[in-house]
Amino acid sequence: RLKYTLIQIGDRKVFGFGCNQFGQLAATGVSVTEPSQIQITCERIFAGGNQSLFQQGENILACGDNRKG
């Protein structure tokens, strides 16, 4: 399984690093070696498999592998 990490800090900023093969870090490039800020603010993040979900109020934004949903 491909590994990546998302971190959310108190002011709703999100940072990510690791494998980005499917775009699950909402960034360019296949690999992000250092924590980089993702250009999104949200209340909650959900990560698993090769996809990430970001909750903004009543909206859910998704990025990554879309083959299974």
Side-chain angles (χ1 to χ4, degrees):
R1 182 156 305 273
L2 304 173
K3 307 260 190 235
Y4 69 101
T5 300
L6 293 173
I7 303 165
Q8 183 177 26
I9 60 175
D11 58 359
R12 300 168 32 138
K13 291 182 183 174
V14 179
F15 293 80
F17 61 95
C19 181
N20 189 46
Q21 181 178 357
F22 297 101
Q24 62 268 41
L25 294 175
T28 58
V30 174
S31 181
V32 178
T33 58
E34 297 181 11
S36 299
Q37 186 173 354
I38 296 173
Q39 299 303 309
I40 190 170
T41 57
C42 62
E43 288 87 26
R44 293 187 182 130
I45 55 175
F46 305 90
N50 297 321
Q51 59 189 2
S52 303
L53 304 172
F54 305 91
Q55 181 181 1
Q56 291 181 321
E58 295 181 10
N59 298 316
I60 301 291
L61 307 174
C63 61
D65 188 2
N66 193 31
R67 291 182 287 177
K68 295 183 181 178

